[in-house]
Amino acid sequence: MDLYEHQARQLFEEYGVLVPRAEVTDSSRQARVIARGLGGRVVVKAQVKTGGRGKAGGVKLAADPAAAELTARQMLAMDIKGHPVRSVMVAEPVDIDREFYVSYVLDRAAGRFLAIASAEGGMDIEEVAATRPEAVARIPIDPAQGVTSAKAAEIAEAAGLPAQTVDVLVRLWEVLVREDALLVEVNPLVRTRQGRVMALDGKVTVDGNARFRQARWGADEAGHADPLEAAAAAKGLTYVKLDGEVGVIGNGAGLVMSTLDVVAGCGARPANFLDIGGGASARTMADGLSVILSDPAVKSVLVNVFGGITACDAVADGIVRALDDVRLTRPLVVRLDGNNAARGRAILEERAHPLVQQVTTMDGAARRAAELATTA
Ligand code: GDP
Ligand code: MN
């Protein structure tokens, strides 16, 4: 569950990290009122759960309250990378001397946390990390030890951050632990011309499994950053959006995960994880297909089902009925195996949909779906 910048800002403030004075609103008229209260000159920032707002025009300086209203009105009509801007934060502007990058992130592979920090923070941090990795320090954190002052000093030293940031690094770690966060990122953490260290932006990801004790963030969009994930969750499907072009549907999390691997092994990238579970009724199949097909990046869809308690003929019936409900616009490759596979295949053959083809092996089906996606 990703928090909005203004929610991260609120946490930082509670834990004693300096942040600019700011207020959030969904009304451009109110933005003018807030700007007046903050002294006139303000920064207006789109509240969307995606990065790169600055480069997308989602962070703008306004010289006076009238300009703040106009800027807010324009921003509230924007869509940043598929995220409609529903509110803006109006903040007191800060005179920046230097911009740093700091984050704590869970390193699942290592079973530890990782501090990532750089003295060259700001909007170009990705480029810095790509071209000069030595400018970005990566310090493992033993979760049982946490970030003590000594550890924070080690992080600051490795990244070339001024000593003043040590206290902030300890407080940000407190945020991570006590708020059940998987990620706390501040970019930029700044030193102002007045010599103060402040968090000018914040990204906090709260562990969804801890939602029961982090209730204050509510069921906001059911915690899904991606609108498709929210739509799928509303239909009771386990769907995770990925970056590729091959849509994947399967029954059982293990089978779907290995399907993702096989698709990747065929030189294509999976567009999603979608487990329709044991039942695989016509309804779930139709819901699953419609979620996958509403992702414009999808070029082909791979249905990989191993019939168990739910036999393949029932799944095939589900697919046939789903084809009546959903307008199929991209090729569908189906692999049915296991219980009653032959009957299931016969049902699909009889339906003879021009965009549906069957391949009997998992590897073969993945290869076909990958080909269709890369040549489409
Ligand atoms: P992001 O692009 O989504 O990461 O949005 P940020 O909140 O990080 O803002 C992008 C950039 O805008 C920052 O790196 C700063 O350089 C600049 N910025 C944000 N707030 C202020 C401010 O109060 N004063 C000044 N001078 N620059 C700011
Ligand atoms: Mn930022």
Side-chain angles (χ1 to χ4, degrees), residues 5 20 41-48 50-61 80-81 89 91-97 99-100 121-126 185-190 198 200-202:
E5 177 193 22
R41 231 176 123 253
V42 289
V43 178
V44 183
K45 307 178 80 176
Q47 296 300 290
V48 281
T50 183
R53 293 168 306 164
K55 288 185 175 170
V59 178
K60 290 233 162 86
L61 195 70
I80 298 179
K81 300 179 192 171
M89 187 165 92
E92 134 196 73
V94 168
D95 276 339
I96 301 174
D97 175 24
E99 294 190 313
F100 314 119
M123 292 194 286
D124 295 320
I125 188 66
E126 276 89 6
E185 181 188 69
V186 184
N187 185 37
L189 178 73
V190 303
M198 283 184 132
L200 235 58
D201 187 12

Side-chain angles (χ1 to χ4, degrees), residues 16-295:
V17 175
L18 285 180
V19 289
R21 287 192 298 151
E23 275 183 61
V24 184
T25 180
D26 58 3
S27 139
S28 52
R29 293 188 64 101
Q30 188 58 23
R32 179 195 283 251
V33 176
I34 298 169
R36 201 177 297 129
L38 291 173
R41 231 176 123 253
V42 289
V43 178
V44 183
K45 307 178 80 176
Q47 296 300 290
V48 281
K49 294 180 177 180
T50 183
R53 293 168 306 164
K55 288 185 175 170
V59 178
K60 290 233 162 86
L61 195 70
D64 54 48
E69 177 172 348
L70 185 65
T71 305
R73 183 173 313 130
Q74 287 162 349
M75 258 179 218
L76 287 165
M78 278 171 64
D79 170 299
I80 298 179
K81 300 179 192 171
H83 298 254
V85 180
R86 299 210 172 87
S87 63
V88 294
M89 187 165 92
V90 181
E92 134 196 73
V94 168
D95 276 339
I96 301 174
D97 175 24
R98 291 181 65 192
E99 294 190 313
F100 314 119
Y101 174 93
V102 300
S103 68
Y104 295 123
V105 60
L106 177 61
D107 181 351
R108 291 181 192 275
R112 285 189 293 199
F113 283 88
L114 197 57
I116 306 176
S118 173
E120 298 178 47
M123 292 194 286
D124 295 320
I125 188 66
E126 276 89 6
E127 202 193 316
V128 172
T131 56
R132 285 182 307 107
E134 70 282 0
V136 181
R138 302 165 69 89
I139 310 279
I141 299 165
D142 180 338
Q145 310 278 313
V147 178
T148 56
S149 295
K151 187 75 187 182
E154 179 192 337
I155 296 165
E157 162 90 34
L161 306 182
Q164 282 161 291
T165 60
V166 168
D167 173 61
V168 175
L169 286 168
V170 172
R171 291 172 192 268
L172 291 173
W173 177 257
E174 291 292 308
V175 173
L176 178 120
V177 174
R178 291 210 240 145
E179 301 298 323
D180 292 313
L182 300 172
L183 169 77
V184 172
E185 181 188 69
V186 184
N187 185 37
L189 178 73
V190 303
R191 188 172 70 195
T192 68
R193 292 208 189 280
Q194 294 73 34
R196 298 198 296 171
V197 174
M198 283 184 132
L200 235 58
D201 187 12
K203 178 170 180 192
V204 172
T205 303
V206 176
D207 187 343
N209 297 310
R211 201 172 295 148
F212 70 96
R213 62 182 179 204
Q214 300 295 346
R216 69 162 138 171
W217 307 121
D220 177 41
E221 297 150 44
H224 295 278
D226 186 276
L228 273 183
E229 288 185 5
K235 290 173 174 168
L237 298 170
T238 309
Y239 170 90
V240 181
K241 171 95 176 77
L242 301 171
D243 286 333
E245 51 290 316
V246 178
V248 175
I249 304 182
N251 62 332
L255 180 66
V256 179
M257 294 227 254
S258 40
T259 307
L260 301 186
D261 286 346
V262 175
V263 167
C266 294
R269 293 177 312 163
N272 67 277
F273 171 100
L274 175 54
D275 173 16
I276 53 172
S281 68
R283 182 76 262 142
T284 30
M285 192 51 90
D287 286 346
L289 269 178
S290 72
V291 167
I292 285 184
L293 292 170
S294 41
D295 175 357

